[in-house]
């Protein structure tokens, strides 16, 4: 999504003449973001239910519109009148996606300025940005986060993260208008060797911090140790082993969210516990 770093510092008072950001590679697959979508619906369905205008954005959906179509269906399980706007900086991708438009689903050309159909003052209750910031430098992330959070409706959420090509491993940060709140790790447990396998999918804000002395490195180290200790429960299945490891992890780390989600191969920790030290 042509880079103009200075344009990321703050949202302008008027819409820019061209979209802000760089085009992504466009890689996408059906159901790639299912773990993130289902977590949003389960953990933050109340945000959608309270929204006066339940519009969500799939930012940088890629070369095909599958993720936006799927997001609409999953959000409508908690808010039947939810709407989704897919935003892409590549106009050819937008043109191709318009064949998939339906009531409640639109595709528009744009970037980090997050244009929405209708009134200029309209703001989304949710922005989902998956695999968008991975190509950026770490020192650009905070400015992008601020810009996107400034576009949220009151009480809205930004969910930004990275996953593998078929959605087996995923890590995302959830932010409110005030900034980052939590980090969620999610995996297909049957394909997981150790929890630290998820390190390769850390969001850009954290992926270069997986080194000794940084909190995220300590978290994954402790998670691997808890996973090893819970190895005997592997005879009952990977899910039982994961839940036992997470329960052990909770003694030293500030886990949050609905504990029942851990059965799905998820664990959420407060941002301040993993935030980079510098």
């Amino acid at each position: 999504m042509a880079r103009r770093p200075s344009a990321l510092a703050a949202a302008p008072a008027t819409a820019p003449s061209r979209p802000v950001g760089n085009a992504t590679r466009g890689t996408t697959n059906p159901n790639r973001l299912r773990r993130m979508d289902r977590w949003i619906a389960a953990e933050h369905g109340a945000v959608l239910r309270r929204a006066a205008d339940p519009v969500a954005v799939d930012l940088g959906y890629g070369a095909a519109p599958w993720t936006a179509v799927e997001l609409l269906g999953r959000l409508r399980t908690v808010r039947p009148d939810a709407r989704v706007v897919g935003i892409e900086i590549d106009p050819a991708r937008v043109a191709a996606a318009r064949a998939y438009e339906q009531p409640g689903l639109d595709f528009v050309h744009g970037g980090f300025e997050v244009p929405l159909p209708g009134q200029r003052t309209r703001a989304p209750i949710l922005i989902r940005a998956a695999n968008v910031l991975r190509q950026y430098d770490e020192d650009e992330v905070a400015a992008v986060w601020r810009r996107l959070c400034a576009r949220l409706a009151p009480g809205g959420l930004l969910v930004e993260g990275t996953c593998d090509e078929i959605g087996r491993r995923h890590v995302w940060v959830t932010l409110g208008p005030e900034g980052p709140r939590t980090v969620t790790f999610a995996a297909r447990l049957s394909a997981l060797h150790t929890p630290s396998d998820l390190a390769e999918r850390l969001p850009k804000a954290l992926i270069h911090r997986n080194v000794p002395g940084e909190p995220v490195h300590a978290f994954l180290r402790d998670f691997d140790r808890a996973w090893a200790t819970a190895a005997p429960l592997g005879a009952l299945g990977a899910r039982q082993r994961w839940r036992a490891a997470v329960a052990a992890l909770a003694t030293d780390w500030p886990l949050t969210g609905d504990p029942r989600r851990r059965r799905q191969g998820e664990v959420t920790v407060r941002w301040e516990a993993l935030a980079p030290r510098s």
Side-chain angles (χ1 to χ4, degrees), residues 45-211:
V47 172
L48 285 163
R49 288 189 288 269
R50 290 193 300 263
D53 184 12
V55 60
V57 165
D58 185 8
L59 182 64
Y61 56 84
W66 320 132
T67 60
V69 175
E70 293 162 357
L71 180 62
L72 178 66
R74 289 166 185 147
L75 295 185
R76 283 188 167 177
T77 64
V78 295
R79 180 72 188 251
D81 61 341
R83 295 185 293 280
V84 169
V85 177
I87 296 177
E88 249 298 334
I89 204 164
D90 184 336
R93 296 174 185 174
V94 178
R98 285 191 168 140
Y100 295 85
E101 289 187 333
Q102 58 181 280
L105 178 62
D106 297 292
F107 295 95
V108 302
H109 182 218
F112 294 142
E113 73 282 5
V114 190
L116 294 182
Q119 302 172 345
R120 289 186 61 182
T121 57
R122 194 178 186 197
I125 195 66
L126 169 71
I127 299 173
R128 186 192 63 185
N131 305 300
V132 172
L133 297 188
R134 197 167 180 85
Q135 66 186 357
Y136 286 80
D137 293 334
E138 181 184 355
D139 60 8
E140 294 180 279
V141 171
V144 175
W145 280 357
R146 287 193 299 270
R147 186 180 190 109
L148 296 179
C149 287
R151 283 290 289 125
L152 292 171
L157 296 171
L158 166 64
V159 182
E160 185 272 310
T162 305
C163 69
D164 67 0
E165 288 72 12
I166 58 174
R168 294 170 301 178
R169 298 172 183 172
H170 208 154
V171 187
W172 59 83
V173 180
T174 301
L175 305 92
E178 78 288 355
R181 296 176 178 174
T182 62
V183 183
T184 299
F185 299 78
R188 180 197 289 175
L189 297 180
S190 62
L192 190 71
H193 177 60
T194 62
S196 62
D197 291 348
L198 287 160
E200 65 183 19
R201 298 301 164 182
L202 286 167
K204 177 59 74 169
L206 294 173
I207 194 165
H208 300 300
R209 302 298 179 142
N210 186 28
V211 294

